[in-house]
Amino acid sequence: MGLFSWLFSSSTPDLDEIPKKTQCYHIEGFLTCHYFQLATEVADRLTAKHPHVKTDVSAYIKQQWYDRSKELQEEFANSHKTSPFIYEGCVAGQQKFVGGYSDFAKAIKTTYKMSIPLD
């Protein structure tokens, strides 16, 4: 054991290590939707503050949104038609519907104690 070995921990953290994503949110909507834009801003703030959270954003032009929202309604067995359509889960097939922007904002505010505009 060297004279200065106590200064250097044998378990130095790997600064290049990517944090494991334990929570995932998926935001889908059309580009010109104000609530879609708010949801993406909240997602950016959330991932900046909490590295274990991953957010995926899928943007569509308004003309494509009707068809995509129908697909999402079928996939999640609900009737949510508006933009954004937000769901959570990191494993395909085990994802669950969160709601629109208001539901997402309330969930993030409650879970992560962040100050977020609710509407």
Side-chain angles (χ1 to χ4, degrees):
M1 181 179 260
L3 182 61
F4 295 103
S5 62
W6 60 273
L7 286 175
F8 304 104
S9 172
S10 61
S11 60
T12 57
D14 182 1
L15 299 177
D16 293 329
E17 183 178 338
I18 298 172
K20 181 170 174 51
K21 305 299 183 187
T22 58
Q23 184 65 36
C24 303
Y25 292 98
H26 308 270
I27 303 167
E28 298 197 32
F30 63 89
L31 287 167
T32 58
C33 172
H34 175 68
Y35 289 110
F36 174 73
Q37 293 169 4
L38 282 175
T40 60
E41 289 172 15
V42 168
D44 286 344
R45 288 180 50 209
L46 178 64
T47 56
K49 192 170 183 178
H50 299 278
H52 71 282
V53 176
K54 177 184 178 193
T55 57
D56 289 323
V57 176
S58 297
Y60 302 87
I61 60 172
K62 193 168 185 174
Q63 294 83 349
Q64 295 172 317
W65 179 243
Y66 177 78
D67 290 337
R68 181 59 183 147
S69 69
K70 283 287 202 195
E71 292 170 1
L72 290 166
Q73 288 171 38
E74 289 176 19
E75 185 178 342
F76 289 91
N78 68 46
S79 59
H80 184 83
K81 297 177 186 174
T82 61
S83 172
F85 188 107
I86 303 170
Y87 51 101
E88 65 180 325
C90 297
V91 179
Q94 296 179 7
Q95 296 163 329
K96 105 178 182 190
F97 176 67
V98 172
Y101 173 75
S102 296
D103 299 311
F104 178 60
K106 287 176 193 168
I108 298 307
K109 187 172 187 156
T110 301
T111 305
Y112 299 98
K113 310 296 184 227
M114 291 176 63
S115 177
I116 296 172
L118 294 179
D119 277 327

